[in-house]
Amino acid sequence: MSEDTLVKRQFGHRARLSLSRSEVLKTDGQAHAARTMWNLLHAWWRMMPKEERTLANADAAIRQAREDIDFLAVLPAQAAQAVLKTYFQAWKNCWDGRADTPNFKGRFRTVMSVDIPQGRDLNITRVHRRWGMANIPKVGRVRFRWTKDLPVGRHANAENRITGARLTKDALGWHIAFRVQTLQAKPEPHQGPEVGIDVGVTVPIALSDGETYEHGEWLTEREQAKLLHLEQRAAQRKRHRKPGEPTSRRLQHTYDQIAGLRAKAKRRALDWQHRTTTAIARRYGTVVVEALTITNMVKSARGTNEEPGRNVAQKSGLNRSISGEAWGRAVTMLTYKTAQRGGALHKVPAPNTSRRCSACGFITPGSRESQAVFVCKNPDCGWSGNADWNAARNVLHLYRMGHALIPAAGRAVVRRAKRVKPAAAR
């Protein structure tokens, strides 16, 4: 196979760790040390003059801090260097306008994580059909859930290997995210049909060919009742806490239980999104979605004291529903999954896709009779059908009309091509 038919691919794979209590304590200590190292770097940065804020000076400061503070010694030296590189990269992202200014990391607001920059330190082996073993510096050999074939042992080489990993902790425990580099055959162009997608709250994903993907509640009725009880208990205990008083152990334990249930719901939502986007990417060669500005859609309607908002509670519920569906995450999944299979994802302008008739192309007041029904009020048309299907057909028609958005210099540019017939005429 020639080099022209091969493409280098880098991706991540997240797996659940099975740690003993002593291993959890060691990993927690490394995560706290990494956070402290970040905060010390930020304090050093703010204290030093601009001409002395160099990578060499920062590295010397880290080495001195590790000698003076015993608490930082639990963090491996390579992990400390990874904190340094991440901090400097955060400033570069800020200067380039891709991120906000780096700041101090709080103990309870920051995700606990430890970086393992060298893949050879992991020494990964598979010991069972469902479990593998990896080496974590200064922790030892630990088990992780084996759910994907990894390039280890005789399958590993210069092109196919694990370049590093990152340990992260959420409410469900510690996980390890491997950084994998592989050399794969370049995918052939996908010969599947084109499809437009409309995302919503009642119907999460509706396709232009009439198919829909829906899901139920992420938590069972028993889990929802338990979550409500825990939230009420936390609110009650919080009322008895005096201003400035630290959080009690009982209240923190309640917060941990709430976070565990919410993390379980998020994990189920991720699983559904992965399965749904994989099915779409396998079936269709061209996927068209709306270019939604989700941050503007979930803004609060509270307003100000001078001009208070209206229907604040209803808007808050809608914002929670929109955030829960995670439309942006689904688009990200579709982007790389279609590319892996030789397909492509395109975005079109979002305005009026749900208000325009997909048969005649007119926008008439009152056509959207309900959440699920669209009836065109144009006297010469009168088409009626499912509202989500109508919007998905409009999304696909915009792409076929040449209104695909091309990112250029940080903004979207509309590409116009030759006109094609309306969706109803095909």
Side-chain angles (χ1 to χ4, degrees), residues 315-420:
K315 184 62 169 65
S316 299
L318 177 62
N319 291 347
R320 285 193 297 269
S321 299
I322 293 175
S323 301
E325 292 299 333
W327 297 335
R329 187 171 62 200
V331 172
T332 302
M333 292 179 181
L334 282 172
T335 301
Y336 73 81
K337 289 183 180 182
T338 52
Q340 290 174 6
R341 293 164 175 81
L345 182 135
H346 302 276
K347 295 183 180 181
V348 296
N352 298 322
T353 53
S354 60
R355 298 174 61 238
R356 182 184 295 110
C357 177
S358 60
C360 65
F362 281 87
I363 301 174
T364 53
S367 295
R368 189 72 179 262
E369 291 190 348
S370 66
Q371 177 65 31
V373 179
F374 183 95
V375 179
C376 182
K377 300 300 182 181
N378 182 13
D380 298 331
C381 180
W383 181 86
S384 63
N386 183 271
D388 300 307
W389 180 42
N390 175 76
R393 279 159 49 103
N394 284 326
V395 170
L396 179 59
H397 182 63
L398 284 173
Y399 167 73
R400 289 174 173 173
M401 289 286 292
H403 293 275
L405 300 179
I406 304 176
R411 66 181 187 278
V413 179
V414 178
R415 178 183 62 189
R416 299 190 180 278
K418 60 181 182 179
R419 299 178 63 85
V420 297

Side-chain angles (χ1 to χ4, degrees), residues 170-186:
D170 60 11
L172 299 177
W174 278 99
H175 297 75
I176 182 168
F178 298 105
R179 294 188 287 269
V180 185
Q181 173 184 304
T182 61
L183 194 64
Q184 299 178 349
K186 192 174 183 179

